[in-house]
Amino acid sequence: MLDLQKLTLGRLLESRDNDFYSKLMSEYFSGMNLVLYDKIKSFYKANLRLPSIDELLVVHKDVSLQDYIETQILNDTNKYETIANAFLVAQLQDHYVREESIRFLDKFMDDFENRSEEHTSELQSHLNLVCRLLLEK
């Protein structure tokens, strides 16, 4: 199965394309992909350029990250030259926007349900008050 995050990171590490990098955000990545992207990002901030694969591995000396890069990111099954960088960025952006929209709607519905329960309770207490007043007359 095609993993766009891994494919994007592999392409970024191999091409060291600054224009491609400038279109990416941490929010597009998760799990180990986010860890790797953050390592690339910190190297870029410190050196004002993208790291080579060797530099990334030497600077961070993280065995699990090195293994992940070698087996998951730079793996031959993770190479799709026919997929354009712009397409990768667009797909990652779409996924991010969908996830953010779902989070927003979930929160909105939770808030709406909570408010609805509060308003129902308030309306019932007002209704009870009116009924009592009418019964007393």
Side-chain angles (χ1 to χ4, degrees), residues 37-132:
Y37 180 77
D38 285 343
K39 302 278 185 192
I40 294 168
K41 187 174 164 182
S42 21
F43 185 96
Y44 185 85
K45 283 183 177 182
N47 300 287
L48 299 176
R49 65 181 178 79
L50 291 168
S52 69
I53 296 164
D54 291 335
E55 287 173 321
L56 188 64
L57 296 176
V58 168
V59 169
H60 294 289
K61 296 181 184 174
D62 181 337
V63 175
S64 64
L65 184 63
Q66 181 176 356
D67 183 55
Y68 184 75
I69 290 170
E70 291 170 355
T71 61
Q72 301 291 315
I73 302 298
L74 301 177
N75 187 324
D76 286 339
T77 60
N78 194 34
K79 297 193 189 311
Y80 295 88
E81 284 82 20
T82 57
I83 298 176
N85 289 352
F87 178 79
L88 291 172
V89 172
Q91 291 301 305
L92 291 171
Q93 287 171 339
D94 287 350
H95 180 74
Y96 170 69
V97 168
R98 267 193 314 276
E99 291 298 312
E100 285 300 302
S101 297
I102 289 169
R103 275 193 277 280
F104 172 79
L105 290 172
D106 283 346
K107 183 178 179 343
F108 177 80
M109 289 306 295
D110 287 345
D111 291 348
F112 179 77
E113 288 170 1
N114 290 339
R115 286 185 183 154
S116 180
E117 289 171 9
E118 291 170 9
H119 290 302
T120 300
S121 176
E122 288 173 18
L123 289 173
Q124 285 175 342
S125 65
H126 289 304
L127 182 61
N128 288 341
L129 179 62
V130 169
C131 287
R132 276 187 279 147

Side-chain angles (χ1 to χ4, degrees), residues 23-39:
K23 294 177 176 123
L24 300 174
M25 296 175 24
S26 295
E27 290 80 5
Y28 297 166
F29 301 98
S30 60
M32 282 298 287
N33 296 320
L34 177 59
V35 170
L36 177 55
Y37 180 77
D38 285 343
K39 302 278 185 192

